[in-house]
Amino acid sequence: MADEKIIGIDIDDTLNYSSEVIKEYILKYGNNYSDDNYLIENLDKIMRGLNFNGVISSFFNDYCEEMASQMKIKENAKEVIDKLKHDGYKIYIITARSNKFYKNAYEFCNNYLNKNEIYFDKLIIGQNHKLNVCKDENILLMIDDSIDTCEKLEDNGINSLVFNSIVNSEKNTNCNRVNNWLEVYDYIKELEHKKVMLLDKN
Ligand SMILES: [Mg+2]
């Protein structure tokens, strides 16, 4: 519906701390997969879902769900999402997580979000490239730690917000960025103030 205001939210490194857990597991078990520092040196690519060759795939086949179940929700994420819901926004969780490494990615994410009391209207899995899904679902603003994703969205007229993480903070971008969920809320209020979020996209 044209009058629905939908905010898209990524899971890994946006809603939760993913890189930290993956890094910890690589430091612990990485040597069983590669005798150099291959995995740790490719952490940023892993977080982007890129270069999933044999080494990375074997590691993820073994530890993906175990790692994901240990990832902690970022501070104030739940509270801010609840406030956004209260303010009239719909919340779509849009993730690259798929059945490639999860037995049932939808069920896993659904359980994880419910267990952590994260409100959402819709959960969409298997979306490594988020431009098409954001267009199809009429997303007003996508919040994601992937700079590539955010730049692509902005280039196509969709508002985006880069959530800083330990793997993206040194990369430059013209996209707006935030360090925490309180800044996400302030940013959205600022957009509302400028009436950007109230524009009829049709
Ligand atoms: Mg992410």
Side-chain angles (χ1 to χ4, degrees), residues 126-139:
Q127 303 295 325
N128 204 14
H129 303 286
K130 293 181 182 165
L131 176 59
N132 288 342
V133 68
C134 285
K135 273 187 186 165
D136 292 347
E137 300 289 345
N138 208 21
I139 300 294

Side-chain angles (χ1 to χ4, degrees), residues 76-92:
N76 299 305
K78 176 194 158 40
E79 292 76 9
V80 166
I81 289 170
D82 286 345
K83 273 209 274 187
L84 291 171
K85 178 194 178 232
H86 178 262
D87 294 348
Y89 290 100
K90 293 246 183 277
I91 306 296
Y92 285 15

Side-chain angles (χ1 to χ4, degrees), residues 7-10 14 140-147 149-151 153-154 158-164 168 173 175-188 191:
I7 294 178
I9 300 172
D10 168 52
T14 298
L140 270 185
L141 170 71
M142 181 73 205
I143 307 164
D144 203 299
D145 64 294
S146 165
I147 288 175
T149 294
C150 289
E151 287 180 344
L153 292 170
E154 290 283 341
I158 298 171
N159 297 308
S160 72
L161 191 52
V162 173
F163 208 113
N164 290 336
N168 77 9
T173 179
C175 293
N176 291 299
R177 358 186 22 147
V178 288
N179 292 305
N180 59 58
W181 275 89
L182 296 178
E183 289 182 15
V184 170
Y185 194 73
D186 289 345
Y187 180 83
I188 290 170
L191 284 184

Side-chain angles (χ1 to χ4, degrees), residues 48-66:
R48 296 283 65 75
L50 301 172
N51 289 12
F52 267 72
N53 55 23
V55 175
I56 299 178
S57 290
S58 311
F59 174 76
F60 266 81
N61 272 327
D62 292 343
Y63 292 111
C64 181
E65 292 199 3
E66 189 180 320

Side-chain angles (χ1 to χ4, degrees), residues 10 23 40 43 52 55-56 58 66 72 74 76 78 91 108 118 121 136 138 167 171 181 195 197 201:
D10 168 52
K23 192 175 172 187
I40 204 73
L43 183 60
F52 267 72
V55 175
I56 299 178
S58 311
E66 189 180 320
K72 295 207 166 36
K74 290 191 172 177
N76 299 305
K78 176 194 158 40
I91 306 296
F108 188 98
I118 299 296
D121 295 284
D136 292 347
N138 208 21
V167 295
K171 287 185 196 125
W181 275 89
K195 302 253 188 280
M197 300 290 272
K201 302 200 28 132

Side-chain angles (χ1 to χ4, degrees), residues 89-134:
Y89 290 100
K90 293 246 183 277
I91 306 296
Y92 285 15
I93 305 289
I94 305 174
T95 178
R97 292 180 176 191
S98 73
N99 293 339
K100 187 171 179 197
F101 296 114
Y102 292 85
K103 275 188 229 63
N104 182 331
Y106 186 92
E107 194 180 275
F108 188 98
C109 296
N110 192 45
N111 289 343
Y112 174 81
L113 295 167
N114 289 335
K115 195 181 125 211
N116 286 286
E117 299 178 323
I118 299 296
Y119 175 83
F120 60 93
D121 295 284
K122 197 169 183 177
L123 166 62
I124 305 173
I125 62 153
Q127 303 295 325
N128 204 14
H129 303 286
K130 293 181 182 165
L131 176 59
N132 288 342
V133 68
C134 285

